[in-house]
Amino acid sequence: MKKFIINNLFFVSWNIFNLLTILLLNIILKNIIMLAFLNYININKILLNNFLYYYSRSKLKYWFKGFKSKNFQLLNLYYIDCDMDIFFIYIFQYYKTTCHTNYLNCDINKINFINF
């Protein structure tokens, strides 16, 4: 398992796919925007210029948020949980939409189970 050192104190735990789960929150509205994944290349780029880069599990590549849509996301604060496997990133969202479906955030759909 890879480890990534931040401030010589934290050792980030990667999952078996060498990805890190992140939960994005809006710094102004204080709501959850989306769930995403990072690889080690993304983390280095984010720390270099404060713009968000993600890893697409379906396309198997990293991408810059706002490259086509111009809906950039700027890193403000980041925290890590006690297991050191999930980042909580507070961002400033340029323009209004975050989701690729042109909504403010990626909606989390409730699943209703039917008992048989």
Side-chain angles (χ1 to χ4, degrees):
M1 180 179 290
K2 289 184 180 177
K3 299 287 185 181
F4 188 83
I5 301 171
I6 299 174
N7 296 336
N8 295 326
L9 298 173
F10 299 114
F11 296 89
V12 176
S13 299
W14 301 89
N15 66 13
I16 59 172
F17 303 108
N18 286 328
L19 298 175
L20 182 65
T21 307
I22 60 167
L23 186 65
L24 274 90
L25 300 112
N26 190 318
I27 192 75
I28 297 170
L29 301 174
K30 306 287 190 227
N31 63 337
I32 296 172
I33 294 178
M34 63 187 253
L35 179 77
F37 295 93
L38 299 177
N39 62 7
Y40 64 94
I41 296 170
N42 299 108
I43 291 178
N44 288 327
K45 287 189 171 229
I46 291 170
L47 295 176
L48 206 64
N49 65 14
N50 282 353
F51 284 102
L52 275 286
Y53 295 79
Y54 301 109
Y55 184 80
S56 172
R57 295 183 303 162
S58 59
K59 297 176 185 171
L60 301 176
K61 66 177 186 175
Y62 69 92
W63 53 279
F64 173 59
K65 175 65 178 164
F67 180 73
K68 291 182 182 176
S69 66
K70 306 300 183 233
N71 295 322
F72 302 106
Q73 294 174 339
L74 185 64
L75 174 72
N76 280 28
L77 301 168
Y78 58 94
Y79 299 95
I80 193 164
D81 72 335
C82 59
D83 293 337
M84 297 193 188
D85 60 352
I86 297 176
F87 266 27
F88 299 94
I89 298 180
Y90 284 89
I91 62 155
F92 178 76
Q93 175 71 46
Y94 285 94
Y95 303 111
K96 294 185 179 182
T97 60
T98 299
C99 188
H100 67 281
T101 58
N102 290 328
Y103 286 103
L104 182 62
N105 52 11
C106 291
D107 290 329
I108 299 170
N109 299 316
K110 181 180 177 185
I111 300 172
N112 293 321
F113 292 101
I114 301 172
N115 294 329
F116 292 101

